[in-house]
Amino acid sequence: QVQLVESGGGLVQAGGSLRLSCVASGNIDSIRTTGWYRQAPGKQRELVAVITSSGSTNAADSVKGRFTISRDNAKYMVYLQMNSLKPEDTAIYYCNARTLWSNDWGQGTQVTVSS
């Protein structure tokens, strides 16, 4: 299993920026993909962005051009840089790591964007 801890959420005005961080521990050498998901009240959890072990990235259409996922392998960190935030980006953001044997989640960090 992989243990994940997110940080960096908070309250920001529309148009502002935040950077979320996720630190991984445990069976990190087996991680195939790491991603950020979000869940707004009354909605299903959705993919925001993902990065593979080879460094390939993908992002949801709703955040392309505004959000960037990156990682620091030496520090076992994954980041989500969020720019031009909109009220509809308000959600709990979760870090996710997938291995051949597990699908692990962090506890989530709240992001609130005021209009």
Side-chain angles (χ1 to χ4, degrees):
Q1 275 192 323
V2 178
Q3 292 77 47
L4 303 164
V5 178
E6 304 99 331
S7 61
L11 174 63
V12 64
Q13 288 187 332
S17 298
L18 282 175
R19 188 177 82 154
L20 305 184
S21 301
C22 173
V23 59
S25 61
N27 199 14
I28 57 175
D29 290 338
S30 64
I31 294 175
R32 295 295 181 265
T33 64
T34 310
W36 287 94
Y37 289 72
R38 67 186 181 187
Q39 187 166 19
K43 295 187 177 181
Q44 290 188 334
R45 191 173 297 188
E46 63 176 4
L47 174 69
V48 176
V50 64
I51 185 166
T52 70
S53 57
S54 63
S56 299
T57 62
N58 196 14
D61 288 342
S62 60
V63 305
K64 282 183 179 177
R66 300 189 298 124
F67 292 10
T68 303
I69 189 170
S70 63
R71 69 182 183 198
D72 183 334
N73 289 333
K75 298 179 180 178
Y76 313 121
M77 298 284 290
V78 177
Y79 305 99
L80 184 68
Q81 178 66 43
M82 306 186 293
N83 299 327
S84 302
L85 282 160
K86 304 176 181 180
E88 50 263 43
D89 295 319
T90 295
I92 299 174
Y93 284 70
Y94 297 91
C95 185
N96 169 267
R98 299 192 178 199
T99 73
L100 289 177
W101 310 279
S102 67
N103 184 27
D104 300 304
W105 297 91
Q107 82 287 353
T109 185
Q110 176 71 47
V111 172
T112 303
V113 184
S114 63
S115 57

